[in-house]
Amino acid sequence: MADLFDMHLRAQRRDRAARRGVELFLYERAFDDCLERLALMQRNFERALLIGCPDAERPTRLRSHSNEVDARDPGRLFADRAHGELLVEDRWLPPEAAYDLVLAIGTLDTVNDLPLALRLIRHSLRSGGLFLGALSGGETLPQLRMAMRAADAVSSGAEPHVHPRIEAAALAPLLTDAGFVDPVVDVDRIPVSYGSLDRLISDLRAMAATSVLHSRAQFVSRRALAAARRAFADAGDGERTVETYEILHFAAWAASKG
């Protein structure tokens, strides 16, 4: 089966955001949630793996909960700035039982083989280790999806514009199948108002969240783009349109292999 996502393009998108200035408001919301959960546990971990480092200070902040932190990111610049290494979640050779904590924030929604990525992360965790993180869910960007359907109607064809994303109800079973126990999934829907479709797309670029689909639309005509802009504006109050980001927060424990 052909890959859904282009990993080289995903790395390029992350490098572009790093060079131009990454937009962190959603990433920070997710990371802060993870730190709050760790604080409630009142436990100090020995060695943590952090996957996703758009902010170079993340490893330092995580060290308040773990003696040692290994930073990894799918983008070279994010990884380098966090003094970490490159990692593609379904294409790495994890050290067995090396960590008692893994955080994965904001990257697992663009992995070609998510079940394999989860199994590899489980392999890297000691029995009883904690897997914690966040990814965008299936209810993300409904207004953008609607706007691009309007663009397709003008173009007389359907093109892939927006990523398919996992539904909240599907995440816990995937974690269980990968060897985790007691999975918990919480849904956080964040409304953000935009003055235009272009401003939304600008934010998505700064979050490295524009399309990395292999079969993405290569060109949108001026007529189609105008239709998308009108549809996005018409969904609002005449001045601003509210878009929704859905974040799936999850936690699960590594089951014993014996």
Side-chain angles (χ1 to χ4, degrees):
M1 182 181 295
D3 286 345
L4 179 63
F5 298 110
D6 183 334
M7 293 293 99
H8 179 66
L9 182 60
R10 180 172 75 149
Q12 288 183 325
R13 295 278 196 258
R14 295 180 78 80
D15 284 351
R16 179 179 66 180
R19 286 192 300 269
R20 296 184 179 181
V22 62
E23 176 55 73
L24 289 170
F25 73 96
L26 289 179
Y27 291 122
E28 279 299 293
R29 187 182 181 108
F31 188 59
D32 286 347
D33 179 89
C34 290
L35 294 183
E36 289 174 7
R37 293 172 189 243
L38 290 172
L40 289 173
M41 292 179 186
Q42 297 183 336
R43 168 182 169 181
N44 194 62
F45 294 87
E46 293 181 17
R47 187 181 180 194
L49 172 63
L50 173 61
I51 303 173
C53 304
D55 179 2
E57 297 302 314
R58 276 191 180 180
T60 299
R61 294 165 64 189
L62 186 55
R63 287 190 188 99
S64 62
H65 301 283
S66 179
N67 297 333
E68 184 178 350
V69 177
D70 293 345
R72 303 287 185 270
D73 195 276
R76 168 65 67 186
L77 291 181
F78 283 154
D80 287 349
R81 292 176 184 182
H83 305 288
E85 298 178 9
L86 281 173
L87 182 145
V88 177
E89 300 88 331
D90 58 352
R91 299 181 184 176
W92 65 304
L93 296 175
E96 184 175 5
Y99 304 103
D100 55 351
L101 172 64
V102 173
L103 265 69
I105 302 174
T107 69
L108 289 174
D109 53 327
T110 50
V111 171
N112 284 306
D113 192 337
L114 181 56
L116 175 58
L118 296 177
R119 292 197 301 272
L120 293 174
I121 289 170
R122 168 63 192 94
H123 184 77
S124 76
L125 272 166
R126 302 167 193 166
S127 295
L130 176 62
F131 180 32
L132 192 63
L135 69 162
S136 61
E139 298 302 316
T140 294
L141 301 175
Q143 303 300 348
L144 177 60
R145 294 174 189 274
M146 174 275 300
M148 298 319 295
R149 286 195 296 269
D152 287 341
V154 169
S155 301
S156 300
E159 295 281 355
H161 300 283
V162 183
H163 295 164
R165 291 175 169 90
I166 189 169
E167 298 296 330
L171 184 52
L174 282 174
L175 290 165
T176 299
D177 290 345
F180 294 96
V181 296
D182 300 327
V184 175
V185 177
D186 297 318
V187 179
D188 182 19
R189 293 190 180 96
I190 305 104
V192 181
S193 69
Y194 288 99
S196 68
L197 177 62
D198 296 84
R199 187 66 184 87
L200 166 61
I201 293 172
S202 177
D203 265 7
L204 294 177
R205 287 196 182 107
M207 291 187 283
T210 51
S211 178
V212 294
L213 293 168
H214 266 296
S215 59
R216 67 195 177 280
Q218 298 297 319
F219 175 76
V220 178
S221 70
R222 290 183 179 180
R223 286 183 62 240
L225 182 56
R229 286 168 171 158
R230 284 195 304 271
F232 187 82
D234 289 346
D237 61 6
E239 294 185 0
R240 302 184 71 82
T241 298
V242 176
E243 184 58 283
T244 301
Y245 297 91
E246 181 181 73
I247 299 178
L248 306 183
H249 300 271
F250 62 86
W253 298 90
S256 172
K257 295 181 180 180

